[in-house]
Amino acid sequence: TAALRQVSVLYFARSAELAGLRSEALWVPRQVTARQLWEEIVKAHPRLAVIRDQVVFAVRQEYVLLGDQLLVLQPGDEVAIIPPISGG
Amino acid sequence: TAALRQVSVLYFARSAELAGLRSEALWVPRQVTARQLWEEIVKAHPRLAVIRDQVVFAVRQEYVLLGDQLLVLQPGDEVAIIPPISGG
Amino acid sequence: MGESEEVPKDFIKLKSEKLSVDEVSELVISPYCGAVSLFIGTTRNNFEGKKVIHLEYEAYTSMAESEIKKICRDVRQKWPSVKHIAVHHRLGVVPITEASVIIAVSSPHRAESLEAVMYCINTLKASVPIWKKEIYEDEYSWKENKECFWANSEK
Amino acid sequence: MGESEEVPKDFIKLKSEKLSVDEVSELVISPYCGAVSLFIGTTRNNFEGKKVIHLEYEAYTSMAESEIKKICRDVRQKWPSVKHIAVHHRLGVVPITEASVIIAVSSPHRAESLEAVMYCINTLKASVPIWKKEIYEDEYSWKENKECFWANSEK
């Protein structure tokens, strides 16, 4: 019965194509590892599973790998799905 | 009684200021070392003596140090006095 | 007339309009500097034999701007004499031969601005959340910078 | 659609009119290239605490052009993928903050054009017969590039 927080999930590039949207509000546990958060998001958008090994998060605009570190999320935090970048 | 050739001597930057002109025709030996040629030119323009250690020649637009190598000059050849460069 | 009279500035812009080399270079020119170095990334017409029609860029704009600001901060630590830095990146459709990114750096002497520009473009490719889609005649592909460490290792 | 379809070109110009960054970059942009690197040398307003009013450049024009051509040849040997090279140098009076030289190089990938531009400006300073007079409020001085090996060693 973990406390839930509503966060803003942003999708870009291939992840936006696979999820079929660019942003949404999701209820997620306040304390969650990056890997668990990814699994939550894949539950909502199963097609994202194919890029699992090729994405990182940006949480409050800082990069976070999909590992076991604990994310402490505040209401309204931005969590972005970041496929491999190709700017320049 | 070396054969003489008329060459075109060009002066640039500080050497033009010291010589008081930008170009002239000079009669010089057909075979002459670079150092001897410099002495000939200084005879014509004594104020050039002060930059002796800070110039090179360009003979037919190729750099030549003021050393003992022999220059073989053809009529009309360009000999330029090249003070330290500062382009860019 | 110390160098401090002109405060170093960062000019960062992501925009959908055509980029201007003149505009970006004017931003960084300074009477205290003898050198401006620039890098322009342009759109190539081919990729592995496939004809490229155009590129499309998208960005996580707010984070991209903050990552570019970090790059500027790093540049000023590494090359303290650098004066102004400008980074303009285009978004949306970019036709062939037009610029997708222009980076300009001014410094009193040239080595610093040249090295800083090289650092800026290398680091931008590794860390700024911007994505490029290459549009071919009957397909497209999301590109991945080789500098991006979480890209698929096979690429 | 091989890279050979566009012949590599050198654009060399010495002129008394104001230089244009847009013009020089347009000369080298190529649909076969993803990178253009540029260096702009600008006029500083001070030298060792003395206020600089403006600069005056003169050149041994024909030889300067042939020395710049040699630099272009060297660049193509060192970085065979380089496409176009442009070197514009201004002569006569150059006001503060205006460009005295602009060098631009295009290449398919960026490392080559960045390295080539650095090589071009370093070598130009060492080998191209062009002279700069710095005009102060009540005196002037002929400058000497530190890259010029026959300059006075005390400088």
Side-chain angles (χ1 to χ4, degrees):
Chain A
T1 70
L4 292 183
R5 291 283 185 265
Q6 193 181 43
V7 298
S8 182
V9 181
L10 308 180
Y11 301 90
F12 293 99
R14 192 154 176 231
S15 74
E17 288 183 352
L18 291 167
L21 77 179
R22 296 207 153 260
S23 69
E24 65 185 331
L26 271 190
W27 289 93
V28 296
R30 188 178 76 89
Q31 297 208 0
V32 64
T33 69
R35 194 185 306 276
Q36 287 165 342
L37 180 57
W38 172 254
E39 299 304 334
E40 293 286 319
I41 291 168
V42 170
K43 254 183 237 164
H45 306 286
R47 297 178 64 209
L48 286 173
V50 300
I51 56 167
R52 182 207 173 100
D53 297 329
Q54 305 150 50
V55 289
V56 300
F57 283 140
V59 177
R60 292 179 296 269
Q61 304 195 8
E62 296 288 338
Y63 289 116
V64 175
L65 302 189
L66 300 196
D68 295 322
Q69 68 282 32
L70 200 64
L71 306 176
V72 179
L73 297 170
Q74 303 302 323
D77 273 355
E78 262 181 27
V79 176
I81 315 299
I82 309 281
I85 57 176
S86 41
Chain B
T1 68
L4 293 183
R5 291 283 185 266
Q6 194 181 44
V7 298
S8 180
V9 181
L10 309 180
Y11 301 90
F12 293 99
R14 192 153 177 232
S15 74
E17 288 184 352
L18 290 167
L21 79 179
R22 297 207 153 259
S23 70
E24 66 186 331
L26 271 190
W27 288 94
V28 297
R30 187 178 76 90
Q31 296 209 359
V32 62
T33 69
R35 194 185 306 276
Q36 288 165 344
L37 180 57
W38 172 253
E39 298 306 334
E40 293 287 318
I41 291 170
V42 170
K43 256 185 230 158
H45 305 286
R47 296 178 64 208
L48 286 173
V50 300
I51 56 168
R52 183 209 172 99
D53 298 330
Q54 304 150 52
V55 289
V56 299
F57 283 141
V59 178
R60 294 179 295 269
Q61 304 194 9
E62 296 288 339
Y63 290 115
V64 174
L65 302 189
L66 300 196
D68 295 322
Q69 68 281 31
L70 200 65
L71 306 177
V72 179
L73 298 169
Q74 303 302 322
D77 273 356
E78 263 181 29
V79 176
I81 314 299
I82 310 281
I85 57 177
S86 41
Chain C
M1 199 168 62
E3 309 239 331
S4 55
E5 282 192 18
E6 200 186 19
V7 178
K9 290 200 201 77
D10 300 335
F11 302 91
I12 298 167
K13 197 183 265 182
L14 306 182
K15 62 174 193 174
S16 314
E17 297 79 37
K18 194 172 177 178
L19 303 183
S20 157
V21 186
D22 262 349
E23 180 188 340
V24 176
S25 64
E26 287 294 333
L27 285 173
V28 304
I29 282 176
S30 157
Y32 301 95
C33 289
V36 172
S37 299
L38 288 107
F39 176 79
I40 310 172
T42 56
T43 306
R44 297 173 61 182
N45 64 2
N46 73 94
F47 174 72
E48 291 177 354
K50 280 180 286 195
K51 184 174 169 192
V52 176
I53 307 300
H54 66 253
L55 302 187
E56 286 176 28
Y57 282 91
E58 66 175 79
Y60 184 2
T61 305
S62 55
M63 181 174 171
E65 287 169 351
S66 95
E67 288 293 319
I68 296 171
K69 278 196 197 96
K70 284 184 197 168
I71 297 174
C72 295
R73 269 202 302 277
D74 292 347
V75 163
R76 297 185 182 290
Q77 279 210 316
K78 287 171 188 286
W79 297 278
S81 71
V82 158
K83 184 65 85 180
H84 304 309
I85 306 171
V87 179
H88 281 199
H89 202 298
R90 189 160 172 189
L91 299 178
V93 172
V94 180
I96 301 297
T97 77
E98 291 191 10
S100 51
V101 64
I102 303 181
I103 297 174
V105 175
S106 57
S107 59
H109 303 287
R110 71 185 180 283
E112 293 82 354
S113 69
L114 283 162
E115 290 168 17
V117 160
M118 202 174 300
Y119 176 86
C120 282
I121 180 63
N122 289 346
T123 312
L124 182 149
K125 291 201 165 232
S127 74
V128 177
I130 297 177
W131 295 270
K132 169 165 70 179
K133 191 158 80 166
E134 222 164 57
I135 317 293
Y136 314 115
E137 279 173 313
D138 45 15
E139 51 177 342
Y140 68 85
S141 140
W142 288 103
K143 307 299 287 183
E144 302 184 359
N145 288 341
K146 62 179 190 304
E147 298 81 358
C148 171
F149 74 86
W150 65 93
N152 219 333
S153 56
E154 64 187 297
K155 301 235 168 152
Chain D
M1 200 170 60
E3 310 238 331
S4 55
E5 282 192 19
E6 199 186 21
V7 179
K9 290 202 200 75
D10 300 335
F11 303 91
I12 298 167
K13 197 183 266 181
L14 306 181
K15 62 174 193 177
S16 314
E17 297 78 38
K18 194 173 177 178
L19 303 184
S20 158
V21 186
D22 262 348
E23 180 188 342
V24 177
S25 63
E26 287 294 333
L27 286 173
V28 304
I29 283 177
S30 157
Y32 300 95
C33 289
V36 172
S37 299
L38 289 107
F39 176 80
I40 309 172
T42 55
T43 306
R44 296 173 60 182
N45 64 0
N46 72 95
F47 175 71
E48 292 178 356
K50 280 181 287 197
K51 184 176 169 189
V52 176
I53 307 301
H54 66 253
L55 302 186
E56 286 176 28
Y57 282 90
E58 65 175 80
Y60 183 3
T61 305
S62 54
M63 181 173 171
E65 287 169 351
S66 95
E67 289 292 319
I68 295 171
K69 278 196 197 97
K70 283 185 198 168
I71 296 173
C72 295
R73 269 203 301 277
D74 292 347
V75 163
R76 297 184 183 290
Q77 279 211 317
K78 287 172 189 283
W79 296 279
S81 72
V82 157
K83 185 65 85 180
H84 304 309
I85 306 172
V87 179
H88 281 200
H89 202 299
R90 189 162 172 188
L91 299 178
V93 171
V94 180
I96 300 297
T97 77
E98 291 190 9
S100 52
V101 63
I102 303 180
I103 297 173
V105 176
S106 56
S107 58
H109 302 288
R110 70 185 182 284
E112 294 81 356
S113 69
L114 282 162
E115 290 168 17
V117 160
M118 203 175 298
Y119 176 86
C120 281
I121 179 65
N122 288 345
T123 313
L124 182 149
K125 292 204 164 230
S127 74
V128 177
I130 297 178
W131 296 270
K132 169 164 70 179
K133 190 157 82 167
E134 223 165 54
I135 316 293
Y136 313 115
E137 280 173 313
D138 45 15
E139 52 178 341
Y140 68 84
S141 141
W142 288 103
K143 307 299 288 183
E144 303 184 359
N145 289 341
K146 63 178 190 305
E147 297 82 358
C148 170
F149 74 86
W150 65 93
N152 220 334
S153 57
E154 64 186 297
K155 300 232 171 157

